């Protein structure tokens, strides 16, 4: 593994995952205020140190304890052990759990591993469903109800599960079934363009939507070509000659760097040739305007609780009731009496709801009454911090950086 490629290739990917990924950001945005969000992020940073001792080191121990299984060298032996002629690293951790722990702890550890897997999957599916429902479906159907959004979100999760199951053979055929390397490659190919558009959107006021969109499309087209070539020209096994093209011999960390540069060039170039966003619309959208004028031209006033902006600033939907002129002469007229036939028809329509429809509502989790969302308070909108909280959080951050540097220097 090239150290330079690791630094310039893995850094943007890690930055995107831990600072910009929807799974992480969605949790940070649910914090009560900025101090709570920072504190939770720092706590997660300290927890991230644990995999060094609970994942990496047990894997190294497993190679010593099970040298003929996990650390197998002969491809035929590896294939007999785990069904993979290249490596049996995928069974290192489960093998330690099954062979070393007693029966009770074995079941407990397997349950813990399964819960961790399910938790990660539900977070990914929930975030994907949120993005699809709010960013795509609401643009296709601006007037959709909250109940419809709930149904669409749950059906999209079902679709994601089906697609994930269908992709299992593809994952097994990639990198000879070594799951860790597959995850690393996909992350390096897909995440750097997201880091580019996110960072430029925060720190560069001249960045435009068109530049970000085409940078994402262009860079991901290059990533898609590289992924296809990975299957066309698979990496040869250990000891076999490498007859692949020169571009395929280049380490995937360097490919991630090339993709990063392509996205950066496309966005900067197109941003200069497209109309920039007005200054009065950048309030709280960039690092330099986070304390700007709160009266943006494209958003309602903060105190106006009755106005709701929909369709991402393209239109404004107001919930304020407007007075309609009423003709007094018409209002004095008596309304026709409602007959019992209409009531009977409504009762009959309600009774015709089949059990299949009731099961569908239960499966999609659609309640009869939609709960209203709590109103956002001014405190949760503020990004101000108390000096004492800010000092404590900064001190905790410095300590965390010091621990990470020490571990990297000591074990590196």
């Amino acid at each position: 593994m090239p150290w330079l490629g690791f630094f310039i290739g893995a850094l943007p990917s890690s930055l995107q995952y831990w600072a910009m990924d929807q799974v992480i950001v969605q949790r940070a945005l649910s914090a009560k205020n900025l101090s709570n969000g920072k504190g939770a992020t720092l706590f997660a940073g300290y927890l991230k140190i644990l995999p060094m001792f609970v994942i990496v080191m047990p894997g190294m121990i497993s190679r010593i304890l099970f040298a003929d299984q996990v650390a197998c060298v002969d491809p035929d032996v590896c294939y007999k052990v785990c069904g993979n002629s290249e490596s049996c690293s995928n069974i290192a951790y489960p093998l330690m759990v099954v062979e070393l722990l007693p029966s009770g702890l074995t079941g407990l550890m397997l349950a813990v591993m399964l819960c961790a897997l399910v938790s990660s999957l539900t977070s990914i599916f929930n975030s994907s469903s949120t993005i699809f429902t709010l960013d795509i479906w609401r643009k296709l159907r601006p007037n959709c109800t909250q109940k419809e959004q709930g149904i669409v979100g749950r059906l999209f999760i079902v679709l994601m599960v089906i697609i994930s199951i269908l992709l299992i053979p593809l994952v097994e055929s990639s990198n000879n079934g070594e799951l860790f390397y597959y995850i690393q490659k996909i992350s390096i190919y897909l995440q750097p363009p997201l880091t580019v558009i996110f960072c430029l959107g925060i720190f560069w006021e001249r960045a435009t939507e068109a530049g970000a969109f085409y940078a994402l499309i262009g860079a991901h087209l290059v990533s898609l070509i590289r992924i296809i070539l990975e299957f066309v020209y698979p990496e040869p096994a250990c000891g076999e000659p490498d007859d692949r093209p020169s571009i395929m011999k280049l380490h995937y960390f360097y490919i991630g760097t090339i993709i990063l540069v392509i996205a950066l060039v496309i966005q900067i170039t197109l941003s200069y040739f497209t109309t920039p966003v007005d200054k009065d619309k950048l309030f709280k959208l960039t690092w330099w305007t986070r304390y700007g004028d709160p009266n943006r031209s494209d958003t309602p006033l903060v105190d106006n609780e009755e106005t709701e902006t929909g369709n991402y600033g393209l239109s404004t939907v107001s919930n304020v009731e407007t007075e309609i002129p009423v003709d007094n002469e018409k209002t004095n007229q008596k309304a026709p009496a409602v007959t019992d036939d209409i009531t009977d028809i409504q009762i009959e329509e309600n009774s015709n709801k089949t059990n299949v429809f009731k099961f569908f509502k239960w499966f999609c989790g659609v309640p009869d009454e939609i709960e209203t969302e709590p109103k956002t308070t001014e405190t949760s909108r503020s990004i101000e911090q108390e000096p004492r909280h800010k000092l404590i959080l900064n001190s905790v951050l410095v300590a965390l950086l010091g621990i990470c540097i020490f571990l990297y220097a000591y074990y590196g």
Side-chain angles (χ1 to χ4, degrees), residues 3-296:
W3 68 269
L4 181 61
F6 174 77
F7 180 77
I8 61 179
L11 182 61
S13 177
S14 300
L15 184 63
Q16 192 279 329
Y17 180 82
W18 289 107
M20 310 168 195
D21 189 76
Q22 173 70 10
V23 177
I24 308 298
V25 173
Q26 193 169 5
R27 288 167 169 78
L29 292 178
S30 63
K32 181 179 179 181
N33 50 47
L34 183 60
S35 297
N36 287 351
K38 284 186 176 181
T41 304
L42 291 173
F43 180 70
Y46 279 96
L47 292 180
K48 189 59 182 175
I49 299 176
L50 296 179
M52 176 70 184
F53 304 98
V54 299
I55 296 179
V56 177
M57 289 187 176
M60 298 170 63
I61 296 172
S62 179
R63 290 182 62 88
I64 298 174
L65 294 178
F66 308 102
D68 296 333
Q69 297 171 304
V70 178
C72 59
V73 178
D74 190 353
D76 296 333
V77 175
C78 292
Y79 188 81
K80 291 180 181 179
V81 172
C82 61
N84 186 358
S85 59
E86 187 69 21
S87 173
C88 288
S89 58
N90 290 340
I91 68 170
Y93 202 88
L95 189 62
M96 286 189 65
V97 173
V98 173
E99 295 292 337
L100 300 181
L101 294 180
S103 300
L105 290 180
T106 300
L108 179 62
M109 284 300 299
L110 293 177
V112 169
M113 295 170 63
L114 183 61
C115 291
L117 176 62
V118 172
S119 175
S120 299
L121 292 177
T122 53
S123 299
I124 294 173
F125 289 150
N126 178 65
S127 300
S128 302
S129 173
T130 302
I131 294 175
F132 176 80
T133 304
L134 299 182
D135 294 346
I136 298 178
W137 188 258
R138 286 182 61 179
K139 286 196 174 184
L140 298 177
R141 291 178 54 84
N143 298 325
C144 62
T145 62
Q146 187 175 356
K147 181 182 292 186
E148 179 182 346
Q149 295 178 34
I151 296 176
V152 170
R154 288 166 173 82
L155 293 179
F156 184 77
I157 291 177
V158 175
L159 178 62
M160 290 289 293
V161 172
I162 296 175
I163 294 176
S164 301
I165 295 175
L166 296 178
L167 289 178
I168 290 178
L170 186 66
V171 175
E172 291 180 346
S173 63
S174 177
N175 296 286
N176 296 313
E178 294 184 84
L179 184 60
F180 180 79
Y181 288 106
Y182 175 79
I183 295 175
Q184 291 297 314
K185 282 188 176 182
I186 294 298
S187 300
I188 294 298
Y189 294 155
L190 299 181
Q191 290 177 344
L194 300 175
T195 304
V196 169
I197 63 175
F198 195 91
C199 291
L200 288 181
I202 291 179
F203 297 106
W204 191 37
E205 298 180 10
R206 189 62 176 77
T208 62
E209 180 182 356
F213 176 78
Y214 288 105
L216 197 63
I217 296 299
H220 278 169
L221 284 177
V222 177
S223 303
L224 180 61
I225 294 174
R226 172 69 183 194
I227 293 174
I228 294 175
L229 291 177
E230 291 277 353
F231 291 97
V232 176
Y233 300 100
E235 185 177 354
C238 182
E240 296 182 358
D242 192 353
D243 299 330
R244 298 177 299 167
S246 300
I247 187 64
M248 297 304 299
K249 298 179 182 179
L250 190 63
H251 200 275
Y252 60 88
F253 279 140
Y254 292 119
I255 298 297
T257 305
I258 295 174
I259 295 172
L260 177 74
V261 174
I262 291 175
L264 185 65
V265 171
I266 293 177
Q267 180 164 3
I268 292 178
T269 303
L270 293 182
S271 294
Y272 275 115
F273 286 95
T274 52
T275 304
V277 181
D278 295 337
K279 294 288 184 180
D280 59 345
K281 296 181 180 180
L282 294 178
F283 168 64
K284 286 188 177 181
L285 293 183
T286 67
W287 176 264
W288 318 110
T289 60
R290 64 189 188 278
Y291 297 115
D293 184 10
N295 297 326
R296 273 172 50 183

Side-chain angles (χ1 to χ4, degrees), residues 306-319:
E306 301 296 332
T307 303
E308 178 184 51
T309 302
N311 202 13
Y312 304 94
L314 299 180
S315 63
T316 303
V317 181
S318 177
N319 293 329

